[in-house]
Amino acid sequence: MHSLSAIFQPILAVLRGDEDVLPSFSHGVHPQEHRAQTENLPIQRAPFGKTYILPLGQHIGAPAKPVVAVGDKVERGTLIAQAGAFVSTALHAPVTGWVKAIEPRRIPSGQLQNAIEIEADPYASQRLPTKAAIPWQNLSLDDFIQHIQNAGIVGLGGAAFPSHVKYALPDGVKIKTIIINGAECEPYLTNDHRLMLERPEATLQGAEIIRQKLQADAVIIGVELNKAHALDALNQVIKAHHYQHITAKALRVKYPQGAEKMLIKSLLDVEVPVNHIPRDIGVLVNNVGTAVAIADYFEFGLPLIERIVTVSGSGVSRPANLIVPIGTRVRELLDFCGGLTDNIKEIVMGGPMMGTPITSLDVPILKGSSGILAFTAVETHKPKEYACIHCGRCLDACPHFLNPARLAKLAKYQAYGEMAKLHAMDCVECGACTFACPSGIPIAHLIRVGKHEIRAKK
Ligand code: SF4
Ligand code: SF4
């Protein structure tokens, strides 16, 4: 039972000025939220473009293998590449059209990657073929896993880890609690916020499907309190549909609240031990977008061919939350949003803390692209770098209790062995240390480079 007091207690806590009573993890930082530009904008569909680029390795794991050839006609939602291994997933046509090319294309990281390019049929309605709901209740866990892989569903929070891999549990492992990540702690991004607010039924339906298939005891949806309306919408549906195993909980607004291990600490007050993953302690974390994608797949037969993207930043004329076909060029999205202002300094894919600066507007939106942020000098002022003053603020910021100042210094001196001994690989590259540093030292960047070298040496 979900009493009204459970719903309103977190809101009252904030009104009383004691948000600190809400669950959270230790350390972390409080960047400005910058959500006002888009948090009240309903999700709308972006218009269809002319061409779409589908990189074959846009998820973690082996690249997908094309099952189409240049010149083939494809319908919206049909398979164009199958999973290349177990840790891999499928790709589907985001639009009806023709396969124009299968060759390397520039991806947001700046690298070239093999991709399928589709030219949209300008006369197609782009309406999805109607499909019957898939009776997920009758599927075995193995069949469920196969369906999720064939649907191309990945973690939509940014990492694009194939979701079915998380559901394939080793013998003897039981998931007790599923956490649905609605924290959305990166500044500017409001796509998860709007999704929970506008589609709470689908969020809960997806969460319940995962829970039943994994026979988990409970689902907790963690939502930062700056999305109180979304939390309220979820709680109303939980109550109306009598979801007895699901609760939605308010979290303190703090970065990086949405990092997997931080969320587990906040909601369950347990820590995932070093060198372990959540399932080792009986927990599985999925993003809200992933839960909705699963609900849509089983309800409408819709594979993952589109996602919600926040377009924001002071350099965007008309910020928006958009439903975007995967493969859409960034340029087309920005054009739909009224184009860029004159004084653009940087365009970032993802959030400002962990996103990737892009150097071309012709790179595509990927399954893991949660936002396109265009920054002017207002946001990109980079402080001059000074020497470390040993203030300890980066230590206080690090949610993993690392010594970022020391790790950054070791990275500068290329002492990668020492870095590894100081648990550099536990760094989740959240950027909280860089944000906290008064000396303007790019700590997280230095550690990222060091981690890359450690991995290369291994
Ligand atoms: S050291 Fe890594 S995990 Fe710690 S605050 Fe910096 S980027 Fe985040
Ligand atoms: S926050 Fe910056 S100045 Fe302070 S200890 Fe860390 S690296 Fe040094």
Side-chain angles (χ1 to χ4, degrees), residues 50 82 248 360 363 402:
K50 287 188 186 139
Q82 64 191 16
S360 163
V363 296
L402 299 171

Side-chain angles (χ1 to χ4, degrees), residues 187-241:
Y188 290 91
L189 302 184
T190 57
N191 49 306
D192 284 349
H193 179 171
R194 294 305 310 183
L195 199 55
M196 289 185 285
L197 189 61
E198 296 181 36
R199 301 201 59 202
E201 286 93 353
T203 307
L204 288 156
Q205 174 68 0
E208 181 63 9
I209 292 172
I210 305 165
R211 188 193 73 76
Q212 287 198 25
K213 288 294 114 187
L214 296 184
Q215 298 183 344
D217 301 335
V219 176
I220 306 174
I221 307 177
V223 184
E224 277 194 347
L225 197 61
N226 52 10
K227 305 164 200 43
H229 288 109
L231 192 64
D232 197 24
L234 292 170
N235 273 317
Q236 283 181 24
V237 177
I238 288 171
K239 203 165 164 233
H241 292 259

Side-chain angles (χ1 to χ4, degrees), residues 14 33 178 230 302:
V14 172
E33 295 185 33
I178 291 163
L302 179 71

